[in-house]
């Protein structure tokens, strides 16, 4: 992998750390309203992610392989890395998994109003949501998109478009490859 693509992976990890810090802060702020805890996997399912997330996770898992995983195809609804309701790649998990359970604020598809998304198990008696106590999803998705755009521009092993996504369930196959191009 060339230096420019590797630099974008590092920028992604910095942003991921920022998302984790904010997620932890919000989880602490809302601890009385949240049912989420270790072993809760109601939100866990198969996702597709942007190439910068995928290759960052793959690089980390190559260095520190998960102890267990399932071998599911990329169309499966379940996640390869959810075993007995526990995430086997917790430290490397993508943005979407880091924000599960939190109150997510985002612009409506029409772009004319803010919408709120919460887990139905959480916030059953709480309604005072605002920009200071929610995860501003569009802000971080925009930052992620811009980092990904630079990554795909500089990733030489394979060509991706700005909006291409890769199934997280492809990670198992790529982990099992001995000579992954670009790594």
């Amino acid at each position: 992998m060339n230096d420019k693509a590797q630099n974008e992976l590092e920028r992604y990890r910095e942003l991921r750390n920022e998302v984790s810090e904010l997620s932890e802060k919000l989880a602490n702020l809302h601890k009385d309203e949240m049912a989420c805890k270790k072993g809760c996997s109601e939100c866990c399912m198969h996702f597709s992610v942007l190439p910068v997330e995928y290759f960052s996770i793959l690089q980390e898992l190559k260095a520190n392989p998960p102890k267990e995983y399932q071998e599911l195809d990329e169309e499966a609804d379940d996640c390869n890395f959810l075993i007995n309701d526990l995430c086997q790649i917790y430290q490397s998990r993508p943005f979407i998994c880091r924000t599960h359970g939190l109150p997510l604020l985002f612009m409506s598809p029409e772009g004319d109003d803010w919408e709120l998304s919460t887990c139905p198990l959480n916030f059953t008696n709480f309604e005072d949501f605002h920009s200071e106590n929610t995860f501003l999803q569009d802000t971080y998705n925009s930052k992620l998109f811009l980092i990904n755009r630079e990554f795909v521009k500089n990733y030489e092993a394979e060509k991706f478009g700005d909006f291409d996504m890769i199934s997280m369930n492809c990670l198992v196959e790529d982990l099992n490859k001995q000579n992954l191009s670009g790594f």
Side-chain angles (χ1 to χ4, degrees), residues 34-180:
M34 292 183 64
C36 300
K37 62 186 177 302
K38 187 174 183 175
C40 177
S41 63
E42 289 295 316
C43 298
C44 299
M45 63 185 74
H46 162 257
F47 292 103
S48 290
V49 295
L50 292 169
V52 72
E53 274 198 288
Y54 183 87
F55 287 105
S56 176
I57 294 167
L58 179 59
Q59 197 175 63
E60 291 173 7
L61 296 183
K62 284 273 189 183
N64 189 18
K67 291 181 177 119
E68 293 183 74
Y69 55 82
Q70 303 177 74
E71 293 201 29
L72 304 171
D73 68 37
E74 64 183 90
E75 300 301 320
D77 292 334
D78 296 329
C79 176
N80 285 348
F81 301 104
L82 184 66
I83 307 291
N84 298 322
D85 295 316
L86 295 174
C87 179
Q88 302 301 303
I89 63 166
Y90 190 79
Q91 295 303 318
S92 299
R93 70 197 187 285
F95 275 32
I96 191 166
C97 300
R98 290 170 190 272
T99 60
H100 277 325
L102 298 173
L104 308 175
L105 194 61
F106 58 94
M107 185 58 68
S108 70
E110 297 79 28
D112 58 357
D113 199 12
W114 290 101
E115 292 188 15
L116 179 72
S117 173
T118 63
C119 172
L121 301 176
N122 298 335
F123 306 102
T124 56
N125 295 313
F126 185 83
E127 295 183 15
D128 185 27
F129 294 107
H130 49 77
S131 63
E132 298 299 315
N133 69 1
T134 58
F135 183 82
L136 303 176
Q137 189 171 13
D138 292 341
T139 298
Y140 288 94
N141 282 350
S142 295
K143 290 178 181 183
L144 175 59
F145 177 82
L146 293 174
I147 292 170
N148 182 70
R149 186 169 62 185
E150 289 303 308
F151 175 79
V152 298
K153 191 185 315 180
N154 292 294
Y155 186 67
E156 297 169 345
E158 199 171 339
K159 290 297 172 202
F160 295 98
D162 289 350
F163 298 96
D164 287 347
M165 304 287 277
I166 305 172
S167 167
M168 286 285 294
N169 284 353
C170 292
L171 282 167
V172 169
E173 180 181 336
D174 283 344
L175 276 171
N176 291 327
K177 289 181 184 176
Q178 293 300 315
N179 297 313
L180 182 63

